[in-house]
Amino acid sequence: MITALVHTSPVSPNLGIKRTDYTVENASGRNRHGVNDWSCKPTAKHPRPVVLVHGLILNKDLTWLYMGPRFAREGYCVFSLTYGQVPELPLVAGLDKLENGAQQLSVFVDKVLAATGAKKLDLVGHSAGTLMPRYYLRFLGGASKVQKFAGFGALVHGTSLHSLVPLTIALGLYDPVTHLTNVLCRACSQFLSGSPFLTKLNAGHDTVPGVDYHFIVTETDEIVTPFVNGFLKDKNPRVENVVLQDLCPLDVLEHMLLILDPIVFHSINGFLTPTAKREISCLDLLH
């Protein structure tokens, strides 16, 4: 099961990545693309800083190679963290329990708000980065510090992994399999449909008051199945559920490649900034 979750997003040991590249503390250094510039101050056009949250296996540097610099060039104060490392696999991240990742996000958000002087910020997440922040919003006081939350490759109600989850339940293998995967990936079983984590997170409602949501799913998602599990179900006027192919029928990028998708970027940019372009078409693939 863990192989099915991570096979599309390996981190090669030949990338020359050091252990310190993955720590939250390392975010105190600005990178050359304008992300994690701790001297950045919000502007009238972009009054709130943006925090980028990666998903399973990846980290802040690999996930946001494309979108991080693009948001910075648009004039946002952009920050990103790496969370959820486990000692057994130091070169990858997002593997620890999502509750622990939410605690790390909470610390990082407070640091960003203190550095920028902003009262609130916006979140942008990919994959499990759309799930863990929702725990922060609901249970760790994040709702009072976040104005907008954009996500893509969303995992609101988990994944069936192409019906592997109900099959393992039917065969009586669910508990043994999840126990095995939890040895190295403590988050993996948490985003399976019907998990105790998701049951608690979505109990009664899947949004929190005061936060605007913009969640993007793709019909070709091979990790989140069915893809509609990425939709927020609350009858909340502040929720926008978006199917990527409704923006551009030609855009058939799957789960991992969404991090490089110009259509996704333009849709999120339009959501975060009211004066930005909101009418998206396939022409936006070109820029």
Side-chain angles (χ1 to χ4, degrees):
M1 184 175 294
I2 188 172
T3 302
L5 285 168
V6 305
H7 79 280
T8 59
S9 56
V11 177
S12 169
N14 298 319
L15 293 178
I17 300 170
K18 300 178 181 179
R19 175 69 173 82
T20 53
D21 291 336
Y22 287 81
T23 61
V24 173
E25 291 76 16
N26 192 53
S28 61
R30 176 184 181 182
N31 73 28
R32 62 189 178 89
H33 299 297
V35 180
N36 289 338
D37 176 3
W38 295 95
S39 66
C40 185
K41 299 299 179 184
T43 63
K45 183 177 180 181
H46 301 295
R48 296 179 304 277
V50 174
V51 170
L52 309 176
V53 187
H54 66 79
L56 179 71
I57 294 297
L58 294 179
N59 60 74
K60 66 181 178 65
D61 299 307
L62 294 178
T63 301
W64 305 112
L65 279 172
Y66 167 68
M67 290 198 190
R70 286 211 68 170
F71 281 120
R73 288 196 299 270
E74 288 290 328
Y76 297 94
C77 291
V78 187
F79 301 87
S80 62
L81 77 160
T82 292
Y83 68 91
Q85 293 172 280
V86 297
E88 298 87 349
L89 294 172
L91 291 182
V92 293
L95 300 178
D96 198 8
K97 288 183 177 180
L98 296 175
E99 297 94 332
N100 295 338
Q103 291 283 356
Q104 290 179 275
L105 177 61
S106 178
V107 172
F108 192 80
V109 164
D110 288 348
K111 181 178 179 180
V112 170
L113 292 177
T116 60
K119 294 182 178 179
K120 288 190 174 185
L121 51 71
D122 297 332
L123 297 174
V124 175
H126 170 247
S127 190
T130 69
L131 188 58
M132 176 273 280
R134 291 179 50 235
Y135 188 93
Y136 163 66
L137 292 176
R138 181 165 184 175
F139 298 114
L140 301 182
S144 65
K145 302 174 184 179
V146 174
Q147 182 64 46
K148 295 187 177 186
F149 183 16
F152 56 101
L155 266 166
V156 177
H157 294 278
T159 176
S160 73
L161 288 178
H162 300 277
S163 299
L164 282 176
V165 173
L167 178 62
T168 58
I169 293 174
L171 295 175
L173 297 175
Y174 181 85
D175 288 340
V177 170
T178 55
H179 178 75
L180 179 62
T181 60
N182 284 344
V183 173
L184 294 178
C185 181
R186 294 148 200 169
C188 286
S189 64
Q190 292 187 297
F191 48 73
L192 300 180
S193 298
S195 72
F197 177 84
L198 285 173
T199 299
K200 176 182 177 179
L201 181 61
N202 294 323
H205 52 90
D206 54 21
T207 62
V208 296
V211 177
D212 300 311
Y213 296 84
H214 182 83
F215 273 28
I216 303 171
V217 302
T218 177
E219 294 175 349
T220 58
D221 202 313
E222 82 290 6
I223 298 297
V224 183
T225 59
F227 75 91
V228 293
N229 276 10
F231 286 155
L232 293 158
K233 295 182 178 180
D234 282 357
K235 303 298 183 182
N236 184 342
R238 303 181 75 161
V239 168
E240 297 176 356
N241 289 313
V242 180
V243 178
L244 180 62
Q245 286 71 33
D246 288 343
L247 301 178
C248 173
L250 300 178
D251 192 342
V252 293
L253 292 187
E254 48 75 50
H255 189 83
M256 281 306 305
L257 290 179
L258 293 177
I259 63 177
L260 303 174
D261 195 330
I263 298 289
V264 171
F265 169 80
H266 287 296
S267 183
I268 292 175
N269 184 42
F271 167 68
L272 297 180
T273 302
T275 57
K277 175 183 176 183
R278 295 226 68 183
E279 294 297 323
I280 309 299
S281 72
C282 290
L283 293 176
D284 291 300
L285 285 169
L286 303 177
H287 60 85

